[in-house]
Amino acid sequence: KILNNCFDLCKKYELLFSTTNRNSELYQINHNKNKTQYQTISNELASVIQQGLYYSELSKGAFDITIGAVSSLWDFKSDKATLPDETLIKESLQSVNYQNIICDHKRILYKNPDTMIDLGAIAKGYIADKLKEYLIQHKVNNALINLGGNILCVGDKMTEGYRIGITNPQKTDASIISTKIEDKSVVTSGIYQRQMKVNHHVYHHILNPRTGYSYDNRLASVTIVSPSSMQGDALSTVCFSLGLEKGKALIESLDDVEACFIDTNNQITYTKNFNHS
């Protein structure tokens, strides 16, 4: 019964945060014809958007939740690898700016009618945190939540800790290292998760809000270990967007968060207290 309720929670949140499901609350506010006036929104959607704006500001726009008009042009799920039209990308970039959004705890206003919010880099972490909250309320002391790229642990696995493998970007069915954690979140953002190859160039789903194309900064993945999965989800994309040096400096300025960066040559860089084997 508890597991079934967890799946129901996932469905509930998809209807809040999905950018593509026409019935979701986010889809409705993104496509509202009067969105340059205040719209009332649910507290949960407002709080995730506010967190998204916080991380957009933290990265000075290297990560930007208003990338929606651009990200919707890319189809990494299609069998045919085709690049979006360059003119369309250029046009859509004009609506990307997190400062176009004004959001308090129950209402939102878009300054630009073409701006679209995409919560793809943060919503999954929020959902994982909510599932953990629900499990703890129902006296589940040990559990592993895996939402694909987002792992969140409840408890310490009967004192032995959870050993989590971090994917080898060059051989994605294997782990390159593992980390041992208790009660924490491990989130990875990588170029191998959704990608396409066109004219010998690999394009992936982590888009640069300034160019509309994938980041090309010699990183293959960033893994964040943190208390909250939403924080890890956002920071993994933020740090990928900032690149190795700035990303590492950001993590080392934060309490209780560690990171592991893997570049395209499979060289690994850890922040100072990352627990690895």
Side-chain angles (χ1 to χ4, degrees):
K1 186 177 163 198
I2 285 174
L3 279 176
N4 285 338
N5 288 345
C6 285
F7 284 109
D8 289 344
L9 278 173
C10 289
K11 287 182 192 136
K12 169 192 151 177
Y13 286 120
E14 190 188 356
L15 283 175
L16 282 183
F17 305 133
S18 170
T19 35
T20 51
N21 183 325
R22 288 167 178 262
N23 298 318
S24 86
E25 187 180 4
L26 178 62
Y27 187 94
Q28 311 257 324
I29 64 163
N30 265 337
H31 294 83
N32 185 331
K33 293 199 170 39
N34 301 321
K35 66 187 190 182
T36 50
Q37 295 161 9
Y38 272 109
Q39 305 181 65
T40 305
I41 57 174
S42 67
N43 285 359
E44 285 195 285
L45 181 57
S47 94
V48 174
I49 288 173
Q50 283 174 320
Q51 283 294 309
L53 293 171
Y54 166 78
Y55 286 106
S56 303
E57 174 69 36
L58 184 70
S59 71
K60 301 191 170 56
F63 162 83
D64 192 321
I65 60 161
T66 63
I67 188 91
V70 174
S71 57
S72 64
L73 300 173
W74 289 87
D75 184 0
F76 292 100
K77 292 187 178 124
S78 165
D79 300 335
K80 288 199 295 287
T82 45
L83 293 182
D85 180 83
E86 200 174 338
T87 320
L88 275 179
I89 287 182
K90 285 205 170 93
E91 279 171 17
S92 303
L93 278 175
Q94 293 168 14
S95 69
V96 178
N97 183 347
Y98 64 93
Q99 291 169 330
N100 284 339
I101 300 294
I102 298 171
C103 180
D104 61 28
H105 61 283
K106 54 174 180 294
R107 46 182 213 156
I108 190 166
L109 177 143
Y110 292 68
K111 290 185 189 171
N112 179 331
D114 299 324
T115 295
M116 296 279 173
I117 294 173
D118 181 340
L119 297 174
I122 192 167
K124 211 194 276 187
Y126 179 84
I127 296 167
D129 289 335
K130 286 294 176 189
L131 292 172
K132 178 170 177 173
E133 227 172 77
Y134 170 79
L135 290 171
I136 290 168
Q137 277 167 1
H138 289 81
K139 309 281 188 289
V140 175
N141 300 323
N142 291 277
L144 187 68
I145 299 162
N146 178 359
L147 299 182
N150 290 54
I151 301 270
L152 182 58
C153 301
V154 181
D156 59 5
K157 198 183 176 187
M158 320 294 190
T159 73
E160 67 176 271
Y162 293 92
R163 187 168 287 289
I164 307 299
I166 291 168
T167 300
N168 181 338
Q170 296 187 7
K171 195 166 164 253
T172 54
D173 55 353
S175 300
I176 191 166
I177 52 157
S178 69
T179 182
K180 203 170 181 188
I181 56 168
E182 296 177 3
D183 217 34
K184 286 197 170 178
S185 153
V186 183
V187 180
T188 299
S189 283
I191 63 175
Y192 53 83
Q193 286 165 325
R194 290 198 292 283
Q195 55 160 244
M196 63 168 87
K197 203 169 189 171
V198 183
N199 302 332
H200 308 295
H201 188 89
V202 173
Y203 296 88
H204 58 80
H205 74 289
I206 306 171
L207 301 175
N208 182 339
R210 296 186 176 101
T211 66
Y213 290 89
S214 314
Y215 271 104
D216 189 1
N217 57 12
R218 296 192 291 284
L219 280 177
S221 77
V222 177
T223 298
I224 304 285
V225 177
S226 58
S228 131
S229 190
M230 177 157 76
Q231 179 187 29
D233 206 359
L235 285 174
S236 65
T237 313
V238 164
C239 290
F240 194 101
S241 305
L242 290 172
L244 174 59
E245 282 164 23
K246 285 183 178 167
K248 184 169 182 273
L250 171 64
I251 297 302
E252 290 183 337
S253 74
L254 300 172
D255 290 336
D256 213 15
V257 182
E258 296 302 327
C260 151
F261 297 81
I262 304 176
D263 71 15
T264 45
N265 297 320
N266 264 10
Q267 288 293 307
I268 307 175
T269 305
Y270 304 100
T271 52
K272 50 187 180 296
N273 295 321
F274 193 96
N275 170 8
H276 60 90
S277 57

